[in-house]
Amino acid sequence: MNEQKGSPLNRRAVFAGVGVVGALAGVAAVLPLAPPAAPVGAAPKAHPEAGGGYQVTQHVLQYYRTARV
């Protein structure tokens, strides 16, 4: 009979490793990413007094015209 020498990496070890890597990838995908910490003593950004927010421009109006149902 032909005797096969066992390799140091058997099938169970490979599947166990794949399972662990898959579980770690799943946990990493589910965990929320923490926003970068603001420097201590940094003042919050002030909102602009006039404008600086949403602006209706020609390309926005064009989008609204084409998105009508």
Side-chain angles (χ1 to χ4, degrees):
M1 282 208 222
N2 292 337
E3 278 191 38
Q4 296 179 356
K5 294 183 180 180
S7 66
L9 211 58
N10 62 16
R11 186 180 303 185
R12 287 184 184 172
V14 170
F15 284 125
V18 168
V20 169
V21 169
L24 289 176
V27 168
V30 172
L31 288 178
L33 296 176
V40 177
K45 293 182 180 178
H47 295 289
E49 292 180 19
Y54 179 79
Q55 296 177 359
V56 179
T57 58
Q58 289 300 319
H59 74 279
V60 172
L61 293 173
Q62 176 66 30
Y63 170 77
Y64 287 148
R65 281 192 293 270
T66 59
R68 284 189 194 153
V69 177

